[in-house]
């Protein structure tokens, strides 16, 4: 195939992945440059995750914590861009590309962008991979190629779920537990990040996450983290996990530096 034909294929795959997503997919736009990133709307109402995540927690988590990270990230990006001036440097790239190359961010701006850029993207993925659950809905399970991958990497779904749950129960302090793809080895891994560090900065492709910060569950569960983890499993939307996995594949099809 000619170079032009390959480029058209990449563009088609990338656009197809976008079309397959909900208009309100919270991570939509992280791969694009913006002078100021908006707070992404959630693809459901704040009370839609009841009884597993209460309305008050969802509202405060989104409009307070998530929005707060975005506001501080925008301020940090503006300070960096104002200092450097217009140009084609890293500061003029998307937050996704910046997090992928965090070590190149000037030291005076790096911590603010790590914490707040990570807070923006981590929460976007968290919201996107959950959805409301009906009372009579059967157990949710991964299907097709995603199910095959989980079996290949973790023997079976029960083993995967047990490993993920135990990792979440034993994570010390605040942070996240992830299912990510290592694009270099094309394997799925369960891993953690502390605070608001992002797997993207380790060149991983996160496709599922649970937020273990206490603000994600304290109003409902207080210090009973295992109950939060159990409730979160009820909301995991494997269709959205697969959509995010496909989104990453389309993104990487146009970026061969990995």
């Amino acid at each position: 195939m000619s170079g032009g034909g390959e480029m058209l294929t990449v563009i088609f795959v990338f656009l197809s992945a976008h079309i397959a997503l909900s208009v309100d997919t919270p991570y939509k736009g992280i791969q694009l440059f913006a002078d100021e990133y908006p707070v992404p709307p959630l693809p459901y109402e704040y009370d839609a995750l009841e009884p597993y995540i209460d309305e008050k927690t969802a509202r405060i988590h989104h409009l307070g914590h998530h929005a707060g990270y975005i506001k501080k990230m925008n301020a940090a990006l503006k300070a960096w861009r104002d200092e450097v001036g217009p140009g084609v440097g890293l500061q003029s790239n998307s937050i996704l590309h910046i997090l992928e190359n965090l070590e190149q961010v000037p030291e005076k701006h790096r911590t603010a962008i790590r914490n707040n850029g990570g807070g923006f993207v981590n929460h976007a993925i968290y919201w996107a991979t959950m959805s409301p659950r009906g009372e009579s809905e059967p157990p949710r399970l991964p299907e097709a190629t995603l199910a095959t991958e989980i079996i290949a990497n973790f023997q079976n779904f029960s083993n995967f779920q047990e490993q993920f749950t135990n990792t979440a129960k034993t994570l010390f302090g605040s942070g996240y537990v992830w299912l990510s793809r290592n694009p270099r080895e094309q394997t799925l891994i369960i891993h953690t990040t502390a605070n608001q560090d992002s797997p993207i900065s380790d060149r991983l492709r996160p496709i599922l996450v649970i937020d273990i910060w206490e603000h994600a569950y304290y109003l409902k569960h207080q210090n009973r983290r295992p109950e939060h983890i159990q409730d979160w499993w009820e909301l995991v939307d494997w269709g959205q996990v697969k959509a995010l996995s496909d989104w990453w594949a389309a993104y990487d099809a146009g970026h061969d530096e990995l």
Side-chain angles (χ1 to χ4, degrees):
M1 183 184 290
S2 69
E6 290 174 353
M7 181 58 71
L8 286 173
T9 301
V10 167
I11 292 170
F12 175 76
V13 171
F14 191 71
L15 289 175
S16 297
H18 279 293
I19 291 165
L21 297 173
S22 161
V23 232
D24 292 331
T25 299
Y27 54 85
K28 179 183 177 183
I30 65 169
Q31 83 288 3
L32 303 173
F33 169 85
D35 285 318
E36 186 168 295
Y37 287 91
V39 178
L42 300 189
Y44 36 75
E45 299 298 324
Y46 291 115
D47 63 354
L49 302 180
E50 295 266 14
Y52 306 105
I53 294 178
D54 59 286
E55 185 270 343
K56 190 172 183 181
T57 293
R59 184 181 297 276
I60 294 172
H61 198 170
H62 182 237
L63 295 180
H65 297 280
H66 193 184
Y69 286 120
I70 295 169
K71 182 178 180 180
K72 292 175 185 174
M73 175 194 70
N74 284 329
L77 289 172
K78 184 177 187 305
W80 179 21
R81 290 164 178 167
D82 287 350
E83 182 180 283
V84 175
V88 291
L90 182 60
Q91 78 283 354
S92 298
N93 277 272
S94 69
I95 187 59
L96 171 52
H97 190 69
I98 290 170
L99 288 174
E100 285 181 311
N101 297 278
L102 191 61
E103 73 286 349
Q104 296 177 32
V105 175
E107 189 173 354
K108 66 185 291 187
H109 302 294
R110 191 180 304 146
T111 298
I113 289 172
R114 174 193 289 115
N115 291 343
N116 298 296
F120 168 33
V121 175
N122 295 349
H123 282 93
I125 294 172
Y126 174 67
W127 299 120
T129 50
M130 296 187 293
S131 68
R133 184 183 182 90
E135 287 183 12
S136 57
E137 185 179 342
R140 294 177 170 183
L141 295 169
E143 298 178 349
T145 54
L146 184 57
T148 302
E149 281 191 278
I150 287 174
I151 291 168
N153 286 274
F154 303 102
Q155 299 180 329
N156 56 58
F157 180 76
S158 296
N159 193 43
F160 156 72
Q161 191 173 40
E162 182 180 359
Q163 286 185 41
F164 196 103
T165 297
N166 289 339
T167 304
K169 285 180 178 178
T170 56
L171 176 65
F172 181 77
S174 299
Y176 297 85
V177 180
W178 304 85
L179 176 65
S180 294
R181 176 173 285 101
N182 181 333
R184 293 169 292 280
E185 299 175 8
Q186 285 303 308
T187 54
L188 293 178
I189 59 170
I190 295 169
H191 65 105
T192 65
T193 56
N195 301 315
Q196 293 298 343
D197 290 355
S198 172
I200 294 168
S201 299
D202 293 323
R203 294 303 179 98
L204 296 173
R205 297 314 189 211
I207 61 173
L208 177 66
V209 64
I210 182 171
D211 189 340
I212 299 298
W213 282 70
E214 286 190 339
H215 64 239
Y217 62 89
Y218 204 83
L219 291 179
K220 181 176 176 63
H221 295 301
Q222 289 79 54
N223 63 334
R224 300 185 299 275
R225 185 193 288 183
E227 293 179 11
H228 164 58
I229 298 165
Q230 183 178 350
D231 278 352
W232 171 80
W233 278 117
E234 298 294 328
L235 297 171
V236 171
D237 187 326
W238 290 103
Q240 291 301 321
V241 175
K242 179 63 165 63
L244 177 54
S245 179
D246 291 345
W247 186 92
W248 279 119
Y251 174 79
D252 286 334
H255 298 78
D256 58 5
E257 62 270 21
L258 289 171

